[in-house]
Amino acid sequence: MISRNELRKIARAKLRDAEILYRNKRFDSAIYLCGYAVETILKARICRTLKWKGFPSTSGEFQSYQSFRTHDLKTLLSLSGVEDKIKTQYRAEWTNVSTWSPEMRYLPIGTTQQSDILKMIQATKVLVKVL
């Protein structure tokens, strides 16, 4: 299991890494890390909502929780217990990040525009803070 606190640390670290990549004009990698930060913070929120000490991380731990074994942000948000709050109070931020998928790591270099990653970083900062 990955503890809730460790998940929160990972999310903040991935966000900082994305900001460093952004400053170095590595937009495609930065956008991927923003999504990963949101995924991780959503998993921490699920732990909080369900009063779990940690999130399953091995195949054995996931055996009874297959619906939680996902990288899909929309699914994770629905499992988090705060979907309505995020979709109403943080609609713009959620709209920016909800298009992320793990497959973005395979985007051709130069696909992500500077303006897109700037919006993604700003939205990720807000969501990491409120989740």
Side-chain angles (χ1 to χ4, degrees), residues 38-54:
V38 173
E39 174 188 339
T40 307
I41 203 70
L42 280 167
K43 289 178 178 180
R45 181 58 195 218
I46 290 168
C47 291
R48 178 178 171 188
T49 298
L50 298 177
K51 296 178 180 29
W52 288 356
K53 292 183 188 271

Side-chain angles (χ1 to χ4, degrees), residues 74 77 82-91 94:
K74 293 171 187 164
L77 181 64
V82 292
E83 182 175 17
D84 289 340
K85 175 184 176 181
I86 296 300
K87 286 186 172 180
T88 56
Q89 295 178 25
Y90 302 97
R91 176 184 282 269
W94 179 251

Side-chain angles (χ1 to χ4, degrees), residues 34-44 70-73 76 100 102:
C34 282
Y36 186 45
V38 173
E39 174 188 339
T40 307
I41 203 70
L42 280 167
K43 289 178 178 180
T70 184
H71 301 288
D72 183 74
L73 298 183
L76 292 170
W100 179 86

Side-chain angles (χ1 to χ4, degrees), residues 9-113:
K9 286 180 191 176
I10 291 168
R12 289 189 300 267
K14 297 304 175 195
L15 177 55
R16 285 190 305 271
D17 292 345
E19 291 174 307
I20 291 167
L21 288 166
Y22 170 77
R23 285 193 299 272
N24 286 283
K25 301 185 183 332
R26 301 287 308 271
F27 306 137
D28 300 303
S29 295
I31 205 161
Y32 175 74
L33 285 181
C34 282
Y36 186 45
V38 173
E39 174 188 339
T40 307
I41 203 70
L42 280 167
K43 289 178 178 180
R45 181 58 195 218
I46 290 168
C47 291
R48 178 178 171 188
T49 298
L50 298 177
K51 296 178 180 29
W52 288 356
K53 292 183 188 271
F55 199 83
S57 61
T58 66
S59 295
E61 291 171 358
F62 272 112
Q63 197 167 21
S64 299
Y65 305 103
Q66 288 301 311
S67 60
F68 292 87
R69 190 176 196 167
T70 184
H71 301 288
D72 183 74
L73 298 183
K74 293 171 187 164
T75 300
L76 292 170
L77 181 64
S78 70
L79 295 169
S80 73
V82 292
E83 182 175 17
D84 289 340
K85 175 184 176 181
I86 296 300
K87 286 186 172 180
T88 56
Q89 295 178 25
Y90 302 97
R91 176 184 282 269
E93 290 83 4
W94 179 251
T95 299
N96 277 313
V97 302
S98 65
T99 59
W100 179 86
S101 76
E103 288 74 30
M104 292 181 88
R105 67 182 175 258
Y106 302 115
L107 289 174
I109 301 301
T111 301
T112 305
Q113 300 299 308

